[in-house]
Amino acid sequence: MASKIGLAVLISGGGSNLQALIDACRDPAYPAEIRLVISNIADAYGVERAKKAGIPALVVSHKDFASREEFEQAMITEMEKYPIDLVCQAGFMRILTPLFVKHWEGRLINIHPSLLPKGKGTHGLKVHTKILGDGETESGCTIHYVTEGVDEGDIILQRSVPVLSDDTPETLAARVLEQEHIAYPEAVKLLATQYLTGK
Ligand code: GAR
């Protein structure tokens, strides 16, 4: 039986969640390894993080394709060159069409910086602006399966943080991000263990 599942990680930016996964995968006992990183943004710092860790990293820019589907098919073609068991969106800022979502159904997960369904349909700092505007006293992060409905797939794991009265979107984002870095490796470990043990 294989001792690790293979991950592809999709990014668009700084890649701090990618870094958390890279760090977790350094533990020989961790049941997953990153086999490919794809960024849709050429100068995303996450690409450097992958290269520094010796992980194959590619830029597949959505701007180079006439349609969303052609962009997604190009990513699928690259991913199929590796044994990939689980695809992790980590700050990947493109909404995926049914072509990609169906291809990876049940094997495609995302991290969202709020306690879904709160903050659904927004991304980045806008999520935290919405949570503050709604007067929430608690926020957090969610790891969930990706389905055709945006931010609607089954929840795998959540971690919460308090919202403080003097929070700005930036301070709340930073508090949530700390928890994201714990939650994403935890969620991947959970799914990898289920996969490897057949439970
Ligand atoms: C993270 O906070 C992630 O949850 C969020 O973007 C940030 C990426 O940071 N994702 C979304 O808003 C997706 N809806 P990172 O590049 O440092 O991992």
Side-chain angles (χ1 to χ4, degrees):
M1 190 182 70
S3 62
K4 289 180 190 288
I5 67 161
L7 308 178
V9 184
L10 308 184
I11 61 165
S12 300
S16 70
N17 278 291
L18 165 65
Q19 189 66 55
L21 290 169
I22 291 172
D23 294 344
C25 289
R26 288 209 171 99
D27 177 353
Y30 192 74
E33 65 187 13
I34 304 172
R35 298 195 174 135
L36 178 65
V37 171
I38 296 182
S39 171
N40 68 309
I41 303 290
D43 59 358
Y45 182 60
V47 174
E48 296 310 312
R49 294 181 189 270
K51 286 184 178 162
K52 272 187 202 153
I55 298 165
L58 289 175
V59 173
V60 181
S61 170
H62 55 283
K63 292 184 184 159
D64 292 343
F65 299 90
S67 69
R68 286 178 178 267
E69 285 81 1
E70 284 169 78
F71 161 61
E72 293 173 5
Q73 188 53 58
M75 289 199 294
I76 291 171
T77 301
E78 291 299 339
M79 290 157 87
E80 288 192 333
K81 294 177 184 167
Y82 298 85
I84 301 295
D85 303 299
L86 185 67
V87 182
C88 303
Q89 292 182 219
F92 182 70
M93 300 302 187
R94 301 292 299 171
I95 292 174
L96 294 161
T97 76
L99 175 110
F100 193 92
V101 173
K102 282 203 180 102
H103 186 93
W104 296 105
E105 197 172 3
R107 299 177 292 159
L108 175 62
I109 65 175
N110 178 46
I111 186 158
H112 188 82
S114 67
L115 296 175
L116 288 173
K118 287 175 184 164
K120 178 173 176 252
T122 49
H123 67 266
L125 270 189
K126 287 187 190 141
V127 181
H128 307 291
T129 304
K130 170 146 181 48
I131 296 299
L132 293 174
D134 288 349
E136 301 292 348
T137 56
E138 189 186 43
S139 192
C141 63
T142 304
I143 322 292
H144 64 96
Y145 285 102
V146 176
T147 56
E148 288 177 34
V150 176
D151 299 333
E152 281 181 1
D154 285 351
I155 291 172
I156 299 155
L157 198 144
Q158 290 184 311
R159 286 182 77 93
S160 57
V161 300
V163 174
L164 306 181
S165 55
D166 59 351
D167 263 332
T168 61
E170 288 81 5
T171 60
L172 180 56
R175 194 175 310 116
V176 169
L177 195 60
E178 271 180 31
Q179 297 306 310
E180 292 185 46
H181 297 160
I182 300 168
Y184 218 166
E186 243 177 50
V188 168
K189 185 176 180 181
L190 190 78
L191 297 182
T193 305
Q194 282 173 3
Y195 182 94
L196 292 168
T197 60
K199 285 178 197 154

